[in-house]
Every structure is written in C-alpha cells, then in structure tokens.
Amino acid sequence: MKKRKIAFYKDKYLVLIIKIISLAIILFVIMSFFYKLYKGQNSYSQIIDDKFKSEEIINEIRQNSEDLTRLTRLYTNTKDTLYKNQYFEILNISKGISPRPEHYNRVYWGVLTTKDKQEPPFIKTIKKSGYKLIASADFDKLEKEKITNALNYSLLLTQLEIKAIYVLEGIGKYKNKTTPDQEKAIALVNSVDYHKRAVLIMEELNKAYELLEKRTNKELSNLESEIKKSIIVISFLFIVFILTILLTIQSALKLKKETINQLKISVKNKTKKLNESLIFNKKITEELHELNISKDLFFSIIAHDLKGPFNSLIGFSTLLLEDPVVNENEELKESVQIIKNSSQNTFELLQNLLKWAQIQKGGLPFNREKIKISDTIYNVLKVLSYQSIHKKIEIKTTLLDPDLIVYADKDMLNTILRNLISNAIKYSHENGTIEILCEKKSNAVNISISDNGTGISKEGVTKLFNYKYAQKTTGTNGEKGTGLGLILSKDFIQKHNGIIWVESELDKGSRFIFTLPDY
C-alpha cells in the first residue's frame, strides 16, 4: 500500500514537472517570435532607410542634370563666368574629378548658385563619381540599369552643353570665327534634340523611381505579412501559455492539498506511535528507576557487608606476618603474604567498583586541597611494595621540584596513582624498571608512569579508556585485571579538568601521562 502511494505521488509530481517544462518551452518559443518581430521592425527601418538613400541618388542625378541645363542657359544668355565655373564644378563632382561636398543637395546648390557667395561654406569629402554612387547603393539589377542609363544620357547631354559654351566663347574648332556666336549657342541648348535628350534622362529616372517604389512596397508588404503572422502565432502561444499556467497552478494546488492530507494522516499515525512509545518508555523508565534503587541498595550492602570483613582479613594477615612464629616458617609466611595480597587486590577492586558506581550517580564527594605530590607517591609505593619486590622491579621516582604541589582530591589522586603504578607493575617483566616523572608545565603538573613491559597494540590503545571494551587481562605473572581501574582513573582526572593519554608500543612498554592543576 505504501509503495502504491509513493508511486502515485511520483506520477503526480512527474506530470507537474512536465507541465512546468512545457511552460518553459512555450515561453522560449514566444521569446523567439518576439525576437523575430524585433528583427522585422529593424528590417522595416532598414528598408525605409535604403529607399531614402536610393532616392537621394536618383534625385541627385536628376538635380545635377537640371542644374547643368540651367547653368548652361544662364551662361549662354548672360555670359557671366560665375555660371560657367559652377557648371564645371557640378560636372567634375558628377564625374568624380572634384571632391564631393558633405551635404550635396538642394541647400548646397542654393548656396552655390547664389551670385553673392561664390565659395559655399561646405566641407569637401572624397572624390566619388555618379557610377560609384550607383554601385554602392541597394538597387536591384533593373533599377541599376535604368539609373545608369539616365547617368549616361546626362553625360551625353553635357557634350551639347559644352559645345554651346565653345560656340559662345569661340574656342576649340570654333576659334577661327571673328566673333562668338551667342545666338547659335542659345539655340543649341534650346533645340528639340537637346530637349528630347533631357526628357529621356527624366524618363529613365522616373522608371527607376517607380521600380524602386514597387520593390520597396513589395518588401514592406511581405515584411508586414510576416509580422502579422508572428503576432498571430505569439497571440496563440500566449493564450496556450496562460492556459498552461492555469492548469499547472491547478495541478500544483491539487497536489498540495493531497500532500497536506497525506501528511496529516502520516502525522496522526506517527503521533499515535509516538504516544505508544512514550507510554512504553515511561514504563521502562519506571522499571529502570526501580532497578537503580535496587542497584544502589546492592552497592550499599556490598560497601557495608564486605568492607568490614576485608579490613579484618587484611589486618589479621598483617598481624600474622609480624608474628615471630610465622616469620620463622618461610612456607607459612609465604602463604600468609599471599592471603594478604589477594585480600588487598580484591579490596582495591571493590573500592574501584564502589567509587565508579558513585561517580555514575554523582554521589562521590569531591574535595580539592593542596597536596604535596611526593608524599602521595611515597604512600602508594609503600602499599605496592610487596608486588614490586616480589617481581624484582626497580621503581625510579624523579621530581624536578621535591615540594611540587597539586590541587586535587586526596582520595581520588591516591586512587589514580595506585591504579596506574599497579598496572605498570602488573604488566612489567621480572627485573623490569618503572619510572615516575613529575614536572611543572605552565599552570598544571604533568605526571608520567613508564614501564618496559608488554606494551599495548594500536587497536588496544584506542579502546583503553572506553568502559564498553573493559575486559579482564592477565599480568606477566598471571595477575588478574578488569580494566576498570583505568576507566575510573580517567573519570577522576577529567573531574579535575585534567587529561590522560598513553604512548605505547607492543612488547616494548607503555607510558601513561596525565595532568592535574596546581591551583
């Protein structure tokens, strides 16, 4: 059932994702059509701009032809050389002999043909003939042909105009005449042949203009058609986009509602299970509380009922060892010593166990005071003297400062040193050496206990201070150990805000170092 629900929601979310992707695709297509529309608007402007430039060239050729005719007639009628000079300036510009003015249009010629201003105030640019102007413009083949024909006819017409100027001035092949022939010159530029040629120029230019107008209108019409199509497609896609958005929102809201309902059911079920777990945990907690009470009672019984007998056993064995009869019998003395040592070891284990239990429940007294470390070490070594002598182990104590003071709980410090030194003895070989070093480091005292015994593996070091891995181990002479002493020592050291660590190598020995504050 759960798998079916998951599959159901996966399908729902998949449909929603597909709709969102569709929205993105539609939006991309709309944007592409908008871009196409934008390009179409630019193309529209470009077509109009090209048409304007093409019309400027047609008008310039028309204007040049008319101005050349007008200036020729003015010169033949008035013989004013200003008109002659202006005529040849226009002709040379048209042929590309003279540089073109920056604004070569009616304004320019209005200034140029004004008698008072013979030098028009216009900047001259590069030389460019009429043919180059036609080649650089955006004309089609037929338009270019008509305009070129008009330019050719205009240049042929200038031959008659130059002839009229020569006749008027009596130069060239007419220089032998005694007097210039003004009437003949005027007749040449007003003849029927001259008029026909001028009309032919205008006809070719009009045809070129009509062709340009027709082509431009066609291009604009096609472009407008494309723009209209794009607008229709964009409108359609926009409607689809809006509908898809509405459907996507509807699906999302429906899915949200279903998800919320499912979550409510899930929360309800989990709340029910949680309440059941809380009831169960409450029951377990009550049972654990009862067990803790039983445990504390058990430890109290152990502390009360076992400590007394062990003290009596240790005291009685000590008295026996002092008895002359026992001292005279070596075998009996050895047996009593074994009883005393076993009793002391078991009593120490009992003390460690009781103290560790008190730490766990926070009931162990903690009273720090200034302690002379050398005194505590001496007392611990005195208690452990039989074990070290029995294994012929030499214990060297080095105190760089004999009066070195630590600020610690006396019983806890005694337990820490007894456990660490006892372990060093336990895992040292006969005739081994143990070194105890105490030195001041900043605001703390470093105490290290080193031996050249069995050592500890790298894996063993990582588990050494973890009560989860505490296990019974055996010393070099079969001495029993529980691992509880190191765990208890670590807890006591941490209670003093100190740290403990170990440096060890298997079969080469170990070095335990811990720190305690000196204030």
Side-chain angles (χ1 to χ4, degrees), residues 206-219:
N206 289 335
K207 286 177 182 179
Y209 184 81
E210 287 173 3
L211 289 169
L212 175 64
E213 188 74 18
K214 186 178 179 181
R215 177 174 64 85
T216 304
N217 289 337
K218 186 179 179 182
E219 288 177 355

PDB file of all heavy atoms in Angstrom, residues 206-219:
ATOM      1  N   ASN A 206      12.520  58.365 -63.781  1.00  0.00           N
ATOM      2  CA  ASN A 206      11.166  58.080 -63.294  1.00  0.00           C
ATOM      3  C   ASN A 206      10.898  56.580 -63.248  1.00  0.00           C
ATOM      4  O   ASN A 206      10.271  56.069 -62.311  1.00  0.00           O
ATOM      5  CB  ASN A 206      10.121  58.779 -64.155  1.00  0.00           C
ATOM      6  CG  ASN A 206      10.123  60.293 -63.942  1.00  0.00           C
ATOM      7  OD1 ASN A 206      10.536  60.774 -62.884  1.00  0.00           O
ATOM      8  ND2 ASN A 206       9.679  61.046 -64.953  1.00  0.00           N
ATOM      9  N   LYS A 207      11.386  55.873 -64.278  1.00  0.00           N
ATOM     10  CA  LYS A 207      11.226  54.408 -64.299  1.00  0.00           C
ATOM     11  C   LYS A 207      11.981  53.760 -63.125  1.00  0.00           C
ATOM     12  O   LYS A 207      11.475  52.848 -62.474  1.00  0.00           O
ATOM     13  CB  LYS A 207      11.744  53.840 -65.622  1.00  0.00           C
ATOM     14  CG  LYS A 207      10.828  54.121 -66.796  1.00  0.00           C
ATOM     15  CD  LYS A 207      11.446  53.587 -68.104  1.00  0.00           C
ATOM     16  CE  LYS A 207      10.551  53.917 -69.308  1.00  0.00           C
ATOM     17  NZ  LYS A 207      11.164  53.432 -70.561  1.00  0.00           N
ATOM     18  N   ALA A 208      13.211  54.270 -62.911  1.00  0.00           N
ATOM     19  CA  ALA A 208      13.998  53.742 -61.795  1.00  0.00           C
ATOM     20  C   ALA A 208      13.296  54.004 -60.459  1.00  0.00           C
ATOM     21  O   ALA A 208      13.248  53.123 -59.581  1.00  0.00           O
ATOM     22  CB  ALA A 208      15.387  54.385 -61.777  1.00  0.00           C
ATOM     23  N   TYR A 209      12.710  55.194 -60.327  1.00  0.00           N
ATOM     24  CA  TYR A 209      11.999  55.538 -59.101  1.00  0.00           C
ATOM     25  C   TYR A 209      10.771  54.642 -58.908  1.00  0.00           C
ATOM     26  O   TYR A 209      10.498  54.159 -57.797  1.00  0.00           O
ATOM     27  CB  TYR A 209      11.586  57.012 -59.133  1.00  0.00           C
ATOM     28  CG  TYR A 209      10.925  57.469 -57.859  1.00  0.00           C
ATOM     29  CD1 TYR A 209      11.671  57.828 -56.749  1.00  0.00           C
ATOM     30  CD2 TYR A 209       9.529  57.511 -57.773  1.00  0.00           C
ATOM     31  CE1 TYR A 209      11.057  58.221 -55.566  1.00  0.00           C
ATOM     32  CE2 TYR A 209       8.910  57.899 -56.600  1.00  0.00           C
ATOM     33  CZ  TYR A 209       9.679  58.263 -55.491  1.00  0.00           C
ATOM     34  OH  TYR A 209       9.060  58.638 -54.337  1.00  0.00           O
ATOM     35  N   GLU A 210      10.037  54.411 -60.026  1.00  0.00           N
ATOM     36  CA  GLU A 210       8.855  53.551 -59.958  1.00  0.00           C
ATOM     37  C   GLU A 210       9.230  52.126 -59.567  1.00  0.00           C
ATOM     38  O   GLU A 210       8.541  51.476 -58.762  1.00  0.00           O
ATOM     39  CB  GLU A 210       8.137  53.559 -61.309  1.00  0.00           C
ATOM     40  CG  GLU A 210       7.408  54.868 -61.599  1.00  0.00           C
ATOM     41  CD  GLU A 210       6.847  54.927 -63.016  1.00  0.00           C
ATOM     42  OE1 GLU A 210       6.988  53.907 -63.731  1.00  0.00           O
ATOM     43  OE2 GLU A 210       6.284  55.961 -63.392  1.00  0.00           O
ATOM     44  N   LEU A 211      10.328  51.624 -60.185  1.00  0.00           N
ATOM     45  CA  LEU A 211      10.806  50.270 -59.843  1.00  0.00           C
ATOM     46  C   LEU A 211      11.220  50.184 -58.369  1.00  0.00           C
ATOM     47  O   LEU A 211      10.917  49.193 -57.682  1.00  0.00           O
ATOM     48  CB  LEU A 211      11.988  49.892 -60.747  1.00  0.00           C
ATOM     49  CG  LEU A 211      11.652  49.616 -62.215  1.00  0.00           C
ATOM     50  CD1 LEU A 211      12.939  49.529 -63.047  1.00  0.00           C
ATOM     51  CD2 LEU A 211      10.850  48.325 -62.356  1.00  0.00           C
ATOM     52  N   LEU A 212      11.922  51.231 -57.918  1.00  0.00           N
ATOM     53  CA  LEU A 212      12.347  51.271 -56.509  1.00  0.00           C
ATOM     54  C   LEU A 212      11.139  51.295 -55.587  1.00  0.00           C
ATOM     55  O   LEU A 212      11.088  50.567 -54.577  1.00  0.00           O
ATOM     56  CB  LEU A 212      13.223  52.508 -56.264  1.00  0.00           C
ATOM     57  CG  LEU A 212      13.659  52.760 -54.808  1.00  0.00           C
ATOM     58  CD1 LEU A 212      14.554  51.626 -54.314  1.00  0.00           C
ATOM     59  CD2 LEU A 212      14.382  54.103 -54.704  1.00  0.00           C
ATOM     60  N   GLU A 213      10.141  52.109 -55.950  1.00  0.00           N
ATOM     61  CA  GLU A 213       8.936  52.216 -55.136  1.00  0.00           C
ATOM     62  C   GLU A 213       8.183  50.885 -55.094  1.00  0.00           C
ATOM     63  O   GLU A 213       7.724  50.437 -54.026  1.00  0.00           O
ATOM     64  CB  GLU A 213       8.025  53.316 -55.730  1.00  0.00           C
ATOM     65  CG  GLU A 213       6.828  53.670 -54.878  1.00  0.00           C
ATOM     66  CD  GLU A 213       7.192  54.490 -53.647  1.00  0.00           C
ATOM     67  OE1 GLU A 213       8.308  55.076 -53.632  1.00  0.00           O
ATOM     68  OE2 GLU A 213       6.389  54.527 -52.701  1.00  0.00           O
ATOM     69  N   LYS A 214       8.090  50.248 -56.273  1.00  0.00           N
ATOM     70  CA  LYS A 214       7.375  48.969 -56.362  1.00  0.00           C
ATOM     71  C   LYS A 214       8.078  47.880 -55.544  1.00  0.00           C
ATOM     72  O   LYS A 214       7.437  47.133 -54.803  1.00  0.00           O
ATOM     73  CB  LYS A 214       7.294  48.568 -57.842  1.00  0.00           C
ATOM     74  CG  LYS A 214       6.443  47.325 -58.082  1.00  0.00           C
ATOM     75  CD  LYS A 214       6.371  47.030 -59.578  1.00  0.00           C
ATOM     76  CE  LYS A 214       5.541  45.768 -59.818  1.00  0.00           C
ATOM     77  NZ  LYS A 214       5.468  45.438 -61.272  1.00  0.00           N
ATOM     78  N   ARG A 215       9.403  47.807 -55.699  1.00  0.00           N
ATOM     79  CA  ARG A 215      10.163  46.787 -54.962  1.00  0.00           C
ATOM     80  C   ARG A 215      10.085  47.030 -53.456  1.00  0.00           C
ATOM     81  O   ARG A 215       9.893  46.093 -52.665  1.00  0.00           O
ATOM     82  CB  ARG A 215      11.631  46.803 -55.409  1.00  0.00           C
ATOM     83  CG  ARG A 215      12.523  45.834 -54.647  1.00  0.00           C
ATOM     84  CD  ARG A 215      13.910  45.799 -55.218  1.00  0.00           C
ATOM     85  NE  ARG A 215      14.607  47.059 -55.090  1.00  0.00           N
ATOM     86  CZ  ARG A 215      15.285  47.443 -54.010  1.00  0.00           C
ATOM     87  NH1 ARG A 215      15.320  46.679 -52.935  1.00  0.00           N
ATOM     88  NH2 ARG A 215      15.897  48.607 -53.997  1.00  0.00           N
ATOM     89  N   THR A 216      10.239  48.283 -53.064  1.00  0.00           N
ATOM     90  CA  THR A 216      10.178  48.618 -51.641  1.00  0.00           C
ATOM     91  C   THR A 216       8.819  48.292 -51.048  1.00  0.00           C
ATOM     92  O   THR A 216       8.722  47.717 -49.957  1.00  0.00           O
ATOM     93  CB  THR A 216      10.495  50.112 -51.435  1.00  0.00           C
ATOM     94  OG1 THR A 216      11.766  50.417 -52.015  1.00  0.00           O
ATOM     95  CG2 THR A 216      10.525  50.464 -49.957  1.00  0.00           C
ATOM     96  N   ASN A 217       7.755  48.634 -51.794  1.00  0.00           N
ATOM     97  CA  ASN A 217       6.401  48.338 -51.320  1.00  0.00           C
ATOM     98  C   ASN A 217       6.183  46.840 -51.183  1.00  0.00           C
ATOM     99  O   ASN A 217       5.524  46.385 -50.231  1.00  0.00           O
ATOM    100  CB  ASN A 217       5.361  48.942 -52.258  1.00  0.00           C
ATOM    101  CG  ASN A 217       5.316  50.461 -52.171  1.00  0.00           C
ATOM    102  OD1 ASN A 217       5.726  51.033 -51.155  1.00  0.00           O
ATOM    103  ND2 ASN A 217       4.847  51.119 -53.219  1.00  0.00           N
ATOM    104  N   LYS A 218       6.747  46.089 -52.138  1.00  0.00           N
ATOM    105  CA  LYS A 218       6.611  44.622 -52.082  1.00  0.00           C
ATOM    106  C   LYS A 218       7.343  44.056 -50.859  1.00  0.00           C
ATOM    107  O   LYS A 218       6.810  43.196 -50.146  1.00  0.00           O
ATOM    108  CB  LYS A 218       7.173  44.014 -53.375  1.00  0.00           C
ATOM    109  CG  LYS A 218       6.948  42.508 -53.459  1.00  0.00           C
ATOM    110  CD  LYS A 218       7.493  41.956 -54.766  1.00  0.00           C
ATOM    111  CE  LYS A 218       7.292  40.440 -54.824  1.00  0.00           C
ATOM    112  NZ  LYS A 218       7.849  39.877 -56.074  1.00  0.00           N
ATOM    113  N   GLU A 219       8.567  44.544 -50.654  1.00  0.00           N
ATOM    114  CA  GLU A 219       9.344  44.075 -49.497  1.00  0.00           C
ATOM    115  C   GLU A 219       8.652  44.432 -48.183  1.00  0.00           C
ATOM    116  O   GLU A 219       8.579  43.613 -47.248  1.00  0.00           O
ATOM    117  CB  GLU A 219      10.753  44.688 -49.522  1.00  0.00           C
ATOM    118  CG  GLU A 219      11.642  44.103 -50.602  1.00  0.00           C
ATOM    119  CD  GLU A 219      13.002  44.772 -50.647  1.00  0.00           C
ATOM    120  OE1 GLU A 219      13.210  45.756 -49.900  1.00  0.00           O
ATOM    121  OE2 GLU A 219      13.865  44.324 -51.442  1.00  0.00           O
TER     122      GLU A 219
END
